[in-house]
């Protein structure tokens, strides 16, 4: 079993590593560039087509080395839908409302194929069955997680590194609970992101774009819905939240900050944790590594709790 996971990780890493320079060149063909803005600190246009390499590596390695089921097909259909939505946004910049509706549509695909949160564990003992509330809870979870890493993706390599840490945390949790499907999903995604990380770490040659960040977070949300959130252990409801702790908490504080200052929730600013670290005098790489360290501590905490 361990050899299978190693094979999936290595194959997805190699495919992503080899594809990334090619999709970098594609940016000139499809006009896929991330231009300087309030949200980012890059001073020149950078290709944002990295999500193509991450998505392709994940799909190939997963289907080559894994057994399939109805739920996994649902996850793949939903992931493909969200990837295409993100790629369109990277090229044409679709409106936030259209993007939100698309994310709800992707979450609905999961539900249609039976991938949904039917119950959560009760800290006081037993389980809480959601019944009809399963549908809105699943949609809220998927849409919420899909946007978390995208909002914190402001420094070179930050989103990819945090996602690798979160993915490996959920992989370890899935292994603790002997859940094969979420474990395979996690290790395939971790390999795809690891192969891409070299090219997006500071100074970045390419970004993952919305196609990469939304696809990555969608898979993380699906892993949680099929694995960690369904454990019978009373404390594991917090595991996915801790695994994705930095982007989740940063997003919550960003919403509070913008509401407090009477600004639109979707408006970009420089109040995120990585921006504050740079404002305190840390270098670009140091700020990224500090956030990595925070994510590692939260991930380790999640494993200990589980």
């Amino acid at each position: 079993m361990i050899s299978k996971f190693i094979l999936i990780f290595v194959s997805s890493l190699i495919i992503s590593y080899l594809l990334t320079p090619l999709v970098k060149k594609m940016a000139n063909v499809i006009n896929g560039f991330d231009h300087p803005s309030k949200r980012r600190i890059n001073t020149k246009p950078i290709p944002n087509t990295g999500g193509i390499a991450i998505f392709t590596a994940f799909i190939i390695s997963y289907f080559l080395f894994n057994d399939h089921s109805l739920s996994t097909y649902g996850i793949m259909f939903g992931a493909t839908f969200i990837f295409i939505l993100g790629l369109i946004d990277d090229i044409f910049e679709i409106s936030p409302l259209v993007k939100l509706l698309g994310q709800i549509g992707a979450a609905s695909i999961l539900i249609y194929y039976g991938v949904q949160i039917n119950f959560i564990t009760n800290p006081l003992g037993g389980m809480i069955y959601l019944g009809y509330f399963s549908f809105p809870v699943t949609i809220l979870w998927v849409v919420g997680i899909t946007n978390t890493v995208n909002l914190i993706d402001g420094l070179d390599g930050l989103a990819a590194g945090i996602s690798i840490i979160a993915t490996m945390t959920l992989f370890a949790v899935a292994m603790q609970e002997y859940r094969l499907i979420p474990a395979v999903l996690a290790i395939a995604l971790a390999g795809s992101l690891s192969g891409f990380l070299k090219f997006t770490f500071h100074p970045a040659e390419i970004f993952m774009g919305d196609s990469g960040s939304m696809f990555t977070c969608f898979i993380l949300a699906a892993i949680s819905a099929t694995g960690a959130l369904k454990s019978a252990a009373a404390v594991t409801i917090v595991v996915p939240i801790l695994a994705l702790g930095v982007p989740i908490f940063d997003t919550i504080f960003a919403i509070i900050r913008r509401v407090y200052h009477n600004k639109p929730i979707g408006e970009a600013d420089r109040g995120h944790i990585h921006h504050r670290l740079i404002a305190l005098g840390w270098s670009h790489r140091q700020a990224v590594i500090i956030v990595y360290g925070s994510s590692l501590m939260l991930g380790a905490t999640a494993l200990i709790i589980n």
Side-chain angles (χ1 to χ4, degrees):
M1 182 60 70
I2 297 300
S3 60
K4 177 180 178 178
F5 289 128
I6 294 174
L7 181 61
I8 294 173
F9 178 84
V10 172
S11 63
S12 59
L13 185 152
I14 292 173
I15 295 170
S16 177
Y17 185 84
L18 295 176
L19 279 180
T20 299
L22 299 178
V23 300
K24 178 184 172 184
K25 296 179 180 179
M26 285 180 59
N28 294 311
V29 178
I30 63 176
N31 192 30
F33 288 91
D34 198 313
H35 297 276
S37 65
K38 288 183 179 180
R39 184 174 152 213
R40 291 192 177 276
I41 67 168
N42 56 296
T43 56
K44 63 179 182 179
I46 302 289
N48 62 0
T49 48
I52 300 173
I54 297 169
F55 171 79
T56 305
F58 174 86
I59 292 294
I60 292 175
S61 63
Y62 186 85
F63 277 102
L64 280 179
F65 303 110
N66 186 57
D67 298 327
H68 311 301
S69 65
L70 187 63
S71 62
T72 58
Y73 284 124
I75 293 171
M76 295 304 142
F77 288 146
T80 301
F81 181 88
I82 205 77
F83 164 74
I84 294 173
L85 177 71
L87 189 60
I88 293 173
D89 186 44
D90 288 332
I91 300 172
F92 301 106
E93 294 188 11
I94 59 179
S95 70
L97 177 59
V98 173
K99 192 188 298 186
L100 175 62
L101 292 175
Q103 292 168 354
I104 293 173
S108 300
I109 293 174
L110 287 182
I111 294 172
Y112 179 79
Y113 280 90
V115 181
Q116 62 192 70
I117 303 170
N118 293 311
F119 58 84
I120 57 176
T121 50
N122 185 349
L124 300 177
M127 292 173 288
I128 301 173
Y129 289 89
L130 299 176
Y132 289 113
F133 290 103
S134 172
F135 300 101
V137 167
T138 302
I139 288 175
L140 284 172
W141 175 258
V142 173
V143 171
I145 295 300
T146 298
N147 286 290
T148 51
V149 172
N150 187 40
L151 290 174
I152 203 175
D153 186 16
L155 296 182
D156 298 351
L158 186 60
I162 288 176
S163 298
I164 291 170
I165 294 168
T167 304
M168 291 305 296
T169 300
L170 292 180
F171 169 75
V173 170
M175 293 297 289
Q176 284 179 336
E177 300 175 1
Y178 303 104
R179 295 181 179 273
L180 181 60
I181 290 177
V184 172
L185 287 168
I187 203 68
L189 182 59
S192 302
L193 290 166
S194 297
F196 174 74
L197 182 61
K198 172 190 178 296
F199 301 95
T200 195
F201 200 74
H202 187 70
E205 303 174 31
I206 187 172
F207 294 143
M208 66 168 62
D210 276 5
S211 61
S213 63
M214 289 204 300
F215 164 75
T216 296
C217 292
F218 181 85
I219 295 296
L220 289 171
I223 291 170
S224 301
T226 59
L229 278 178
K230 290 189 175 182
S231 170
V235 294
T236 53
I237 188 173
V238 303
V239 168
I241 296 175
L242 284 175
L244 292 162
V246 170
I248 287 177
F249 297 140
D250 188 71
T251 299
I252 292 172
F253 291 136
I255 293 172
I256 295 172
R257 181 173 65 249
R258 291 165 191 173
V259 170
Y260 179 78
H261 292 289
N262 294 317
K263 293 183 177 180
I265 292 177
E267 181 180 312
D269 62 25
R270 288 185 173 269
H272 292 283
I273 181 173
H274 46 282
H275 293 134
R276 302 312 306 154
L277 287 170
I278 288 179
L280 288 172
W282 298 99
S283 70
H284 191 125
R285 289 192 177 212
Q286 288 172 334
V288 171
I289 291 171
I290 288 171
V291 180
Y292 283 179
S294 301
S295 294
L296 280 170
M297 287 190 290
L298 288 171
T301 303
L303 291 177
I304 293 170
I305 288 175
N306 199 53

